[in-house]
Amino acid sequence: MRRAVAEGAIHGVRVSVGAPEVSHLLFADDSIFFTRATEEEATAVSDILRRYEHASGQLVNLDKTTVSFSKGVPRTKRSNLATRLGIIEVEEQERYLGLPTVVGRSKKVLTNILRDKLSKRLEGWRGNFLSRAGKEVLLKAVANSLPTYVMSIFKIPVNF
């Protein structure tokens, strides 16, 4: 990916005028590529994936692979590029690493996610044979640690 960017075969995205260009994000076995919606860049991504498969001996699971486009890309171009890549088109990526990929001004989505996670954890403890003090310690530990990951990425509203 870096070589393709350096050679100008792929162009990433910038979040603002002075920000660096981001062409890909990698985490464990998850990858996100950011490119322009052109035949040339789709071909470049396909070539990179095939070279990766050949070099590593691992195969990209196209059943778990999706592509999404920005609003300005026409429908016909979207379907042509998705077909060329051999992957499914989705309107938008719902979540990545457990968090929503698109968050607007309202952070209600984030606070709802945190509340839901905490509620699910608490439900699981109902049957545990812990003393009241033990449950309190467990609750405080989990309640304090759950938002840490979210807060490392998003600014959480003060009233939460």
Side-chain angles (χ1 to χ4, degrees):
M1 281 298 289
R2 285 189 200 138
R3 186 180 310 148
V5 170
E7 293 171 355
I10 289 178
H11 301 84
V13 295
R14 295 178 195 272
V15 294
S16 67
V17 177
E21 189 175 86
V22 177
S23 61
H24 58 285
L25 297 173
L26 308 172
F27 183 81
D29 64 347
D30 278 341
S31 307
I32 296 181
F33 298 154
F34 302 96
T35 67
R36 292 181 180 164
T38 65
E39 299 276 335
E40 296 80 18
E41 294 203 20
T43 301
V45 168
S46 286
D47 291 344
I48 290 167
L49 293 175
R50 298 306 148 242
R51 276 188 263 150
Y52 170 80
E53 289 178 336
H54 186 282
S56 69
Q58 297 177 334
L59 295 177
V60 174
N61 187 344
L62 296 179
D63 293 333
K64 292 183 176 180
T65 304
T66 59
V67 62
S68 60
F69 298 93
S70 61
K71 294 174 186 172
V73 180
R75 279 265 173 238
T76 54
K77 191 172 195 178
R78 291 177 186 210
S79 60
N80 289 341
L81 291 174
T83 303
R84 181 182 200 94
L85 291 166
I87 56 181
I88 300 164
E89 179 191 351
V90 295
E91 283 301 316
E92 65 181 44
Q93 304 297 324
E94 219 173 275
R95 291 178 184 256
Y96 182 66
L97 302 178
L99 294 176
T101 56
V102 178
V103 177
R105 284 186 174 264
S106 172
K107 302 298 186 261
K108 209 172 212 174
V109 173
L110 296 175
T111 56
N112 288 342
I113 288 171
L114 288 172
R115 281 190 184 101
D116 291 346
K117 282 185 179 186
L118 186 57
S119 294
K120 285 179 185 174
R121 293 276 173 92
L122 291 175
E123 277 299 312
W125 300 342
R126 285 233 165 109
N128 288 356
F129 298 107
L130 293 172
S131 67
R132 186 178 175 102
K135 287 180 182 177
E136 183 180 344
V137 169
L138 196 56
L139 173 62
K140 285 180 181 177
V142 171
N144 284 327
S145 66
L146 269 179
T148 304
Y149 172 58
V150 177
M151 289 189 308
S152 70
I153 300 166
F154 298 105
K155 187 175 181 180
I156 303 294
V158 176
N159 62 353
F160 178 71

